[in-house]
């Protein structure tokens, strides 16, 4: 597999830090590392690693066995965690799907792209072609690129005026836009490239796994691949194979009746709380289908040549339902406050794993503060792509974490046009400030002492509040002054 200079010398850096050799014995080790650094350009040129980026929909921080769920069975994703690095302070770019995906694929704060909330049908909101996506960067570096699954970066997959996935760096596309219709089973709104397809028989999880395996099998094996696999699960409304519902039948009551998406209002007798069994089944089924894709990598002999990143677009829908279509979602935030739609930790802190054989040590974890925009920069660098220098980027290269090193100090900023009046948040070190839609500071938390955000310190920490408010204002001014930001903003709120 190919290694960048940083990655090639990481094992020597680890040995240097961990050994108790004296300086005169360590000096030859550093000299050897320097020599290898000079030689590794040849190694890097030999082969670029494949990249599999798995982005799932509305999975909570606590919704995996490897992140502490006491019931849910997620053996395939848990195996990734056992073989890689588990991030415990990783944040989504937003607490909603469309802005999160915009941040992931561009490395830029979603507000810079004009995507402030989820994109409804026929709204005319879309990721504009002036933005440079990760797929475009990697395609230019020689990668075959495919996106399979949820897009939701425009308002209509049939539009001829709004850029589609194949207009933004992906050689191939198969999937849906906002949510599956009528639900996960036999979806009616799947597109292949720019063509609407008839009813696709099956469940979205297996349809997307099948399509991923087919594309991987049929592509030119001489090219490295970038596969963006964006699963529909566990976004509501979900349907599951009966055998998976049976796995969790002790956690459900009553007949399983999926609530169809796309209705103005469903029959009231469908809105019956039945417990978390169906939600658990949906995640376990998704895990099994992801496992099939990983098995293909193993069987094809390219598993260790593939960087695998797993993450969620935002926090979960918990049993604190807001919308009727959320009934019977029982996501876990791992105890953190809030849920999808809100900038408390439960809405933006998400489970995230990277497996990178030979570079990332297995079964490790990091509490370093990272965010979804970082994957644009990091994966572009891993793939030998050129990170654009003509625009503001909000992500950074997090590869130093792979060697156990610290990241540069920075602050993270969120903005969300959604249900809460707390529309802005900034975190720096352990401190997190939430501001209202008028940019007035409202709540301050020390996450080191109070990770569950119980104790508002805004009246006790005036200097800290002022400093973080100024930092939030700096971020917002940078976004407002961004020359690539569209003239009109998205005003829609779900």
């Amino acid at each position: 597999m190919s290694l960048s200079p940083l990655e090639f010398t990481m094992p020597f850096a680890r040995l240097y830090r961990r050994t108790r050799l004296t300086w005169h014995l360590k000096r030859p080790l550093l000299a050897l590392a320097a020599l290898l650094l000079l030689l590794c350009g040849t190694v890097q040129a030999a082969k670029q690693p494949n990249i599999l980026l798995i982005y799932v929909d509305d999975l909570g921080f606590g919704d995996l066995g490897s992140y502490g769920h006491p019931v849910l069975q997620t053996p395939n994703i848990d195996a990734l965690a056992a073989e890689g690095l588990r991030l415990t302070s990783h944040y989504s770019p937003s607490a909603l799907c469309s802005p999160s995906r915009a941040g992931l694929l561009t490395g830029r704060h979603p507000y810079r792209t004009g995507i402030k909330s989820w994109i409804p049908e026929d709204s005319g909101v879309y990721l504009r072609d002036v933005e440079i996506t990760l797929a475009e960067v990697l395609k230019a570096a020689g990668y075959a690129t495919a996106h399979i699954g949820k897009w939701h970066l425009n308002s209509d997959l049939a539009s001829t005026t709004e850029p589609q996935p194949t207009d933004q760096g992906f050689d191939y596309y198969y999937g849906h836009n906002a949510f599956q219709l009528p639900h996960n089973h036999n979806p009616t709104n799947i597109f292949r490239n720019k063509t609407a397809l008839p009813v696709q028989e099956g469940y979205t999880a297996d349809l997307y796994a099948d399509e991923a395996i087919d594309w991987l099998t049929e592509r030119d094996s001489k090219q490295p691949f970038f596969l963006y696999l964006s699963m529909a699960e566990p976004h509501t409304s979900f349907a599951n194979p009966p055998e998976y519902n049976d796995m969790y039948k002790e956690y459900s009551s009553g007949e399983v009746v999926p609530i169809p998406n796309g209705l103005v209002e469903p029959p009231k007798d469908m809105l019956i709380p039945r417990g978390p069994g169906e939600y658990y089944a949906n995640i376990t089924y998704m895990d099994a289908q992801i496992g099939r894709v990983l098995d293909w990598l193993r069987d094809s002999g390219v598993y260790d040549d593939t960087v695998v990143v797993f993450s969620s677009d935002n926090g979960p829908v918990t049993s604190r339902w807001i919308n009727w279509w959320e009934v019977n979602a029982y996501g876990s935030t791992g105890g953190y406050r809030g849920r999808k739609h809100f900038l408390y930790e439960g809405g933006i802190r998400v489970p995230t794993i990277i497996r990178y054989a030979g570079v990332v040590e297995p079964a490790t974890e990091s509490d370093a503060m990272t965010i979804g925009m970082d994957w644009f920069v990091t994966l572009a660098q891993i793939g030998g792509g050129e990170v654009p220098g003509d625009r503001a980027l909000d992500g950074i290269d997090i590869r130093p974490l792979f060697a156990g090193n610290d990241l540069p100090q920075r602050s993270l900023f969120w903005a969300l046009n959604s249900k809460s009046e707390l529309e802005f948040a900034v975190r720096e070190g352990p401190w997190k400030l939430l501001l209202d839609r008028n940019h007035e500071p409202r709540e301050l938390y020390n996450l080191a002492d109070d990770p569950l955000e119980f104790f508002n310190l805004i009246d006790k920490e005036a200097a800290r509040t002022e400093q973080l408010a100024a930092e939030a204002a700096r971020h917002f001014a940078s976004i407002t002054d961004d020359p690539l930001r569209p003239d009109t903003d998205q005003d829609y709120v779900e």
Side-chain angles (χ1 to χ4, degrees):
M1 63 184 293
S2 66
L3 297 174
S4 70
L6 175 63
E7 293 153 356
F8 197 85
T9 56
M10 278 179 180
F12 297 90
R14 294 190 189 106
L15 182 59
Y16 178 83
R17 288 197 322 274
R18 293 177 182 177
T19 187
R20 295 188 176 183
L21 298 175
T22 60
W23 167 245
H24 76 278
L25 292 176
K26 283 186 175 181
R27 186 162 48 186
L29 181 63
L30 291 178
L32 177 60
L35 176 61
L36 290 171
L37 185 61
L38 292 173
L39 296 175
C40 73
T42 304
V43 176
Q44 186 181 17
K47 187 178 180 184
Q48 296 161 296
N50 305 310
I51 297 172
L52 171 58
L53 175 57
I54 305 171
Y55 216 48
V56 301
D57 202 351
D58 293 359
L59 187 78
F61 185 84
D63 277 337
L64 299 172
S66 49
Y67 278 76
H69 200 286
V71 174
L72 263 164
Q73 299 177 43
T74 51
N76 295 289
I77 300 169
D78 295 346
L80 277 180
E83 296 171 355
L85 174 66
R86 190 171 66 96
L87 300 177
T88 56
S89 289
H90 184 80
Y91 290 98
S92 56
S94 177
L96 281 177
C97 50
S98 297
S100 176
R101 293 160 197 274
L104 176 79
L105 288 182
T106 67
R108 288 159 50 80
H109 193 285
Y111 271 38
R112 294 188 190 276
T113 71
I115 298 178
K116 299 173 65 176
S117 187
W118 79 287
I119 301 175
E121 187 176 5
D122 297 327
S123 64
V125 176
Y126 54 88
L127 185 69
R128 296 167 311 127
D129 54 14
V130 70
E131 299 292 343
I132 297 174
T133 70
L134 179 59
E136 290 174 299
V137 170
L138 292 175
K139 184 174 181 176
Y143 278 74
T145 60
H147 175 24
I148 294 170
K150 178 172 179 173
W151 174 240
H152 210 186
L153 286 175
N154 65 25
S155 68
D156 182 6
L157 283 173
S159 173
T160 58
T161 59
E162 299 179 8
Q164 303 297 345
T166 51
D167 298 319
Q168 295 190 309
F170 292 102
D171 300 323
Y172 181 79
Y173 175 67
Y174 176 89
H176 70 286
N177 205 16
F179 42 77
Q180 58 281 9
L181 296 173
H183 39 62
N184 297 67
H185 192 214
N186 296 339
T188 63
N189 61 331
I190 303 295
F191 279 69
R192 177 175 283 115
N193 297 321
K194 298 181 180 182
T195 302
L197 299 177
V199 175
Q200 300 291 281
E201 294 185 1
Y203 295 86
T204 49
D206 62 70
L207 290 169
Y208 291 165
D210 287 346
E211 200 73 16
I213 291 169
D214 287 347
W215 181 79
L216 288 168
T217 303
E218 295 169 4
R219 81 187 202 290
D220 182 354
S221 61
K222 295 179 182 179
Q223 279 186 283
F225 68 77
F226 168 50
L227 173 58
Y228 174 38
L229 179 58
S230 182
M231 304 297 281
E233 294 77 23
H235 191 289
T236 57
S237 169
F238 34 74
N240 309 305
E243 61 269 28
Y244 281 84
N245 285 331
D246 288 344
M247 289 177 63
Y248 296 103
K249 61 184 178 181
E250 65 181 293
Y251 299 97
S252 293
S253 61
E255 181 183 2
V256 174
V257 181
I259 304 168
N261 287 318
L263 302 178
V264 175
E265 187 174 312
K268 300 298 189 297
D269 59 2
M270 298 183 74
L271 304 182
I272 301 172
R274 290 188 296 268
E278 298 158 63
Y279 183 80
Y280 294 169
N282 195 246
I283 292 173
T284 296
Y285 185 59
M286 175 190 72
D287 175 86
Q289 304 314 305
I290 290 173
R292 289 178 51 219
V293 177
L294 299 176
D295 284 343
W296 185 92
L297 298 177
R298 294 185 187 96
D299 294 343
S300 301
V302 298
Y303 188 50
D304 285 344
D305 296 326
T306 303
V307 178
V308 182
V309 174
F310 173 92
S311 192
S312 177
D313 65 346
N314 45 251
V317 173
T318 67
S319 57
R320 183 191 169 196
W321 303 315
I322 296 174
N323 304 295
W324 60 259
W325 55 84
E326 297 178 340
V327 172
N328 288 314
Y330 287 83
S332 170
T333 64
Y336 291 112
R337 182 178 181 179
R339 48 149 283 175
K340 176 183 178 179
H341 284 283
F342 298 91
L343 295 178
Y344 293 114
E345 293 293 284
I348 54 177
R349 190 183 292 224
V350 292
T352 301
I353 299 161
I354 179 169
R355 183 191 188 276
Y356 193 173
V359 176
V360 170
E361 289 191 9
T364 53
E365 70 174 52
S366 172
D367 196 44
M369 190 174 67
T370 56
I371 195 165
M373 286 89 80
D374 295 339
W375 293 119
F376 174 89
V377 180
T378 304
L379 294 177
Q381 298 280 19
I382 286 173
E386 183 176 350
V387 176
D390 64 341
R391 62 199 59 212
L393 295 177
D394 300 288
I396 64 170
D397 186 350
I398 65 169
R399 286 180 298 166
L401 284 184
F402 304 166
N405 295 319
D406 293 332
L407 296 177
Q409 289 190 346
R410 59 171 170 166
S411 61
L412 300 181
F413 179 70
W414 296 267
L416 180 62
N417 185 10
S418 187
K419 295 185 179 296
S420 173
E421 63 178 6
L422 299 177
E423 292 193 354
F424 303 98
V426 61
R427 179 178 172 183
E428 187 173 43
W431 294 96
K432 180 179 174 185
L433 179 70
L434 292 107
L435 306 94
D436 65 21
R437 58 177 57 98
N438 297 315
H439 303 271
E440 291 296 324
R442 294 284 295 276
E443 298 178 17
L444 176 70
Y445 299 100
N446 184 328
L447 298 179
D449 297 334
D450 178 27
L452 305 186
E453 297 171 297
F454 279 133
F455 304 103
N456 184 2
L457 302 177
I458 200 161
D459 293 331
K460 297 180 179 179
E461 296 280 352
R464 181 70 64 179
T465 298
E466 183 179 0
Q467 180 256 322
L468 286 174
E471 187 67 7
R474 182 187 68 79
H475 280 283
F476 191 75
S478 174
I479 292 168
T480 301
D481 296 339
D482 193 312
L484 298 182
R485 185 167 171 262
D487 293 334
T488 57
D489 280 334
Q490 174 191 12
D491 295 321
Y492 182 84
V493 179
E494 182 182 12

